[in-house]
């Protein structure tokens, strides 16, 4: 009986530890995706920016709804044309829901010397470092 209880407790502990490691891995992959995207944005690297999104991703912004990586790439090209720079992002909430990671946070950037900021939500899917954004909604805060 004691052996069985110990075995069950050990298995439960191991499953919790492995689950925590999986969540940490998902958190790490999501953080890397976000960091790489911000870096690509500030370099003006349209290909790297678009690569953060799944081929069939949907992005909703104040400028419109963009479906598919090519449309999303074009939306970023327009944003860069108006001179958006010094982009940064901070996740406030990140949690796993089944095979998805849900992120909610704040972003900020400038056009010329004018600062802008607001909020975003993103749904990320994938395995390991191969995570991609499958849906993102971005707002612009009222002045």
């Amino acid at each position: 009986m004691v052996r069985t209880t110990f075995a069950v407790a050990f298995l439960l502990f191991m499953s919790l530890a492995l689950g925590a490691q999986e969540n940490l891995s998902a958190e790490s992959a999501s953080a890397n995706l976000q960091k790489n995207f911000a870096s690509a944005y500030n370099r003006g690297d349209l290909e790297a920016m678009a690569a953060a999104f799944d081929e069939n991703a949907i992005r909703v912004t104040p400028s419109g709804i963009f479906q598919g990586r090519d449309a999303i790439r074009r939306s970023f090209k327009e944003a860069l044309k108006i001179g958006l720079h010094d982009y940064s992002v901070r996740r406030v909430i990140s949690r796993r829901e089944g095979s998805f990671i849900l992120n909610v946070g704040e972003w900020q950037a400038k056009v010329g010397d004018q600062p802008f900021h607001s909020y975003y939500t993103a749904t990320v899917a994938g395995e390991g470092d191969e995570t991609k954004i499958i849906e993102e909604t971005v707002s612009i805060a009222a002045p």
Side-chain angles (χ1 to χ4, degrees):
M1 178 71 166
V2 170
R3 232 184 256 173
T4 302
T5 303
F6 178 75
V8 169
F10 178 75
L11 289 173
L12 179 61
F13 171 76
M14 288 307 291
S15 68
L16 291 172
L18 290 174
Q21 185 176 13
E22 180 181 307
N23 283 343
L24 216 119
S25 176
E27 177 74 16
S28 176
S30 187
N32 285 338
L33 178 68
Q34 185 174 323
K35 180 178 132 192
N36 292 339
F37 178 83
S39 177
Y41 203 111
N42 288 318
R43 289 191 318 271
D45 187 341
L46 288 172
E47 293 308 313
M49 292 163 64
F53 289 81
D54 182 77
E55 188 66 37
N56 298 308
I58 298 170
R59 186 165 194 260
V60 180
T61 74
S63 299
I65 299 170
F66 305 93
Q67 185 170 2
R69 190 180 292 149
D70 289 336
I72 291 168
R73 181 185 296 108
R74 287 190 300 273
S75 77
F76 288 135
K77 186 175 182 178
E78 293 304 312
L80 290 172
K81 277 184 184 178
I82 65 167
L84 200 65
H85 64 92
D86 292 346
Y87 173 82
S88 65
V89 63
R90 182 178 73 87
R91 271 179 302 136
V92 176
I93 299 168
S94 184
R95 72 172 194 260
R96 180 174 283 284
E97 290 290 335
S99 61
F100 300 107
I101 301 167
L102 306 174
N103 292 324
V104 177
E106 301 173 291
W107 66 268
Q108 60 184 9
K110 291 181 179 178
V111 174
D113 290 335
Q114 178 68 42
F116 289 88
H117 79 282
S118 202
Y119 310 96
Y120 76 93
T121 64
T123 304
V124 179
E127 296 293 323
D129 288 336
E130 290 299 313
T131 57
K132 299 284 183 190
I133 300 167
I134 61 172
E135 187 280 329
E136 181 181 56
T137 300
V138 180
S139 65
I140 297 178

